[in-house]
């Protein structure tokens, strides 16, 4: 089970590595940093809002404290010491609340300053990361383009590999067809195969046809020359007779020659 789990994790890691695009990863990281910066800014705004509310409460308590002080003085001036004492007691309670709110206000103000400084530092880091991100993306894109161009020139890319295989198959089929055509021509010329169309002739028949055609042309040329020069009828008959002989007519008989005699010794 451990081995199967390791193999599965290795396969998954390889598949993820193949599918991962560094540019998309950088964009996602930048997006997460922007979200974190937005949360920090929202926190600063919340602290500032709380601080502002404390300031409003402090202003109200201080106003009430001043009012109670005035009322105690007036009561004491009128001889109502009991009322003056009550007013001063309430003023003392308000002063305790004012002291507590001032402490909270100081604490919130310190937190607000810290968050504001953190937001500024985070903003600077995000800006630096954005610049670096764009630089890395541009460099990666350029390297990827150079790699593809190099693979295309060297023919090791998948697309060019498919094209090269297609060209190789086409060349192989062309060579095979050329070899088959040459073999068939040689077999027809040698007479090993019969030409069903009747148009193909062997070498001997072609040579006989050429000689026969040349003889006909020569005889026709001689006839035309005799007609143009106004030759006699006997000349034309001789030409025609020669033509008949060329066409397989009766051949003139050869005169018998004397048989040599040998004397007996």
């Amino acid at each position: 089970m451990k081995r199967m789990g390791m193999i599965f994790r290795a396969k998954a890691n390889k598949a993820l590595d193949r599918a991962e695009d560094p540019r998309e990863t950088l964009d996602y990281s930048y997006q997460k940093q922007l979200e974190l910066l937005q949360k920090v800014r929202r926190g600063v705004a919340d602290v500032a809002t709380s601080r502002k509310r404390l300031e409003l409460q402090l202003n109200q308590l201080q106003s009430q404290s001043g009012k109670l002080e005035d009322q105690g003085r007036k009561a004491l001036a009128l001889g109502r010491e009991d009322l003056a004492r009550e007013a001063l007691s309430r003023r003392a309670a308000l002063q305790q609340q004012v002291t507590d709110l001032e402490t909270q206000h100081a604490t919130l103000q310190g937190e607000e300053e810290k968050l504001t400084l953190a937001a500024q530092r985070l903003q600077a880091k995000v800006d630096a990361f954005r610049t670096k991100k764009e630089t890395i993306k541009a460099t990666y894109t350029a390297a990827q383009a150079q790699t593809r161009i190099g693979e295309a020139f060297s023919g090791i890319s998948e697309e060019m590999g498919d094209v090269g295989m297609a060209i190789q198959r086409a060349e192989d089929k062309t060579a095979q067809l050329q070899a088959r055509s040459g073999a068939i021509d040689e077999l027809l010329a040698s007479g090993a195969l019969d030409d069903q169309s009747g148009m193909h002739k062997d070498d001997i028949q072609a040579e006989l046809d050429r000689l026969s055609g040349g003889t006909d042309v020569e005889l026709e040329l001689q006839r035309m020359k005799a007609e143009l020069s106004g030759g006699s009828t006997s000349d034309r008959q001789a030409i025609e007779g020669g033509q008949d002989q060329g066409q397989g007519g009766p051949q003139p008989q050869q005169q018998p020659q004397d048989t040599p005699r040998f004397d007996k010794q």
Side-chain angles (χ1 to χ4, degrees), residues 150-183:
E151 289 178 351
F153 279 122
S154 59
I156 62 176
S157 63
E158 295 181 359
E159 294 81 2
M160 295 304 297
D162 295 338
V163 174
M165 291 178 63
I167 294 175
Q168 184 65 35
R169 288 195 298 270
E171 291 178 351
D172 293 341
K173 289 184 178 180
T174 302
Q176 183 179 2
L177 291 175
Q178 289 177 350
R180 185 178 180 83
S181 177

Side-chain angles (χ1 to χ4, degrees), residues 4-61:
M4 290 179 61
M6 183 181 296
I7 293 174
F8 177 77
R9 288 192 297 271
K11 296 286 186 181
N13 186 28
K14 186 175 181 181
L16 290 175
D17 185 67
R18 188 183 298 110
E20 182 183 7
D21 190 347
R23 294 168 296 184
E24 296 177 354
T25 304
L26 291 173
D27 291 335
Y28 179 75
S29 300
Y30 178 69
Q31 185 66 30
K32 299 300 291 184
Q33 291 184 9
L34 288 179
E35 293 177 359
L36 179 60
L37 179 60
Q38 188 67 23
K39 290 180 180 180
V40 173
R41 288 177 176 176
R42 190 179 297 112
V44 174
D46 294 338
V47 173
T49 303
S50 299
R51 177 182 57 81
K52 193 65 177 178
R53 291 177 62 184
L54 288 178
E55 290 178 356
L56 293 175
Q57 290 179 6
L58 282 173
N59 293 330
Q60 291 176 0
L61 291 175

